[in-house]
C-alpha cells in the first residue's frame, strides 16, 4: 500500500519526511520526487537585451518632425531637428527607465513563487500504518493526499 502526497517545495516537506521517519518508517520506503518546470524563454532573456527600445524611436520621430517644421521657423531645420532629437531622447529615456523598473519588479515577483511541486510516495506495510501516515501528512498542509493499493498484476485501487 502506498500513500502519495503533493507538496510545494518548502520546509513543510522536510518536516513531514522527518516526522514519518520518526514514526518508524524506514528511509528506503520514502520517495520525494520533484517535478521539473518548463522554463519560459521570454523570462530567461535579460532585460539588458531589450532595455532601451523607445528612446531611439521617439528621438528619431521628434528629430524628423523638427526637421520638417524647422523650415517654417526662424531657427532653421537643423537646429530644430537637433532640439527634437534631444527632447525625444530625454522622453524616451524616461519612459524606458520606468518600463525597465516595471519589468524588473514583475521578474522579482515571479521568482518569489515556489520553484516546483514535489510528490511524496511512502510505502506502508498495512492499512493502519497507511492511515497513520495519511493523518500525519495532512498536518503539514499538502496540496493533496491519496492512497494506492496494488491488488494484483492487472488490478489496482486508488483512493483519495
Amino acid at each position: 500500500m502506498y500513500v502519495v502526497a503533493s507538496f510545494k517545495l518548502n520546509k513543510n516537506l522536510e518536516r513531514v519526511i522527518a516526522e514519518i521517519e520518526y514514526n518508524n518508517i524506514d528511509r528506503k520506503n520514502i520517495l520525494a520526487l520533484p517535478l521539473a518546470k518548463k522554463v519560459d524563454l521570454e523570462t530567461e532573456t535579460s532585460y539588458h537585451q531589450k532595455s532601451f527600445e523607445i528612446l531611439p524611436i521617439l528621438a528619431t520621430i521628434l528629430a524628423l518632425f523638427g526637421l520638417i517644421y524647422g523650415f517654417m521657423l526662424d531657427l532653421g531645420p537643423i537646429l530644430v531637428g537637433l532640439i527634437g532629437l534631444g527632447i525625444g531622447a530625454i522622453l524616451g529615456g524616461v519612459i524606458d527607465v520606468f518600463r525597465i523598473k516595471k519589468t524588473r519588479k514583475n521578474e522579482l515577483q515571479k521568482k518569489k513563487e515556489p520553484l516546483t511541486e514535489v510528490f511524496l510516495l511512502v510505502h506502508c506495510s498495512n492499512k493502519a500504518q497507511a492511515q497513520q501516515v495519511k493523518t500525519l501528512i495532512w498536518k503539514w498542509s499538502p496540496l493533496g493526499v491519496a492512497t494506492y493499493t496494488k491488488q494484483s498484476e492487472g488490478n489496482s485501487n486508488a483512493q483519495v
Side-chain angles (χ1 to χ4, degrees), residues 12 30 34 41 43 49 51 59 63-64 70-72 75 80 88 100 121 124 128 133 147 158:
N12 287 346
I30 301 170
L41 294 177
T43 59
Q49 294 173 353
S51 59
L64 181 66
F71 283 105
M72 294 184 279
L75 295 174
V80 176
I100 290 169
L121 182 69
C124 301
V133 168
T147 57

Side-chain angles (χ1 to χ4, degrees), residues 109-120:
Q109 286 176 351
K110 286 181 183 179
K111 288 180 182 178
K112 287 182 183 178
E113 294 177 4
L115 297 176
T116 186
E117 189 173 343
V118 178
F119 282 106
L120 181 66

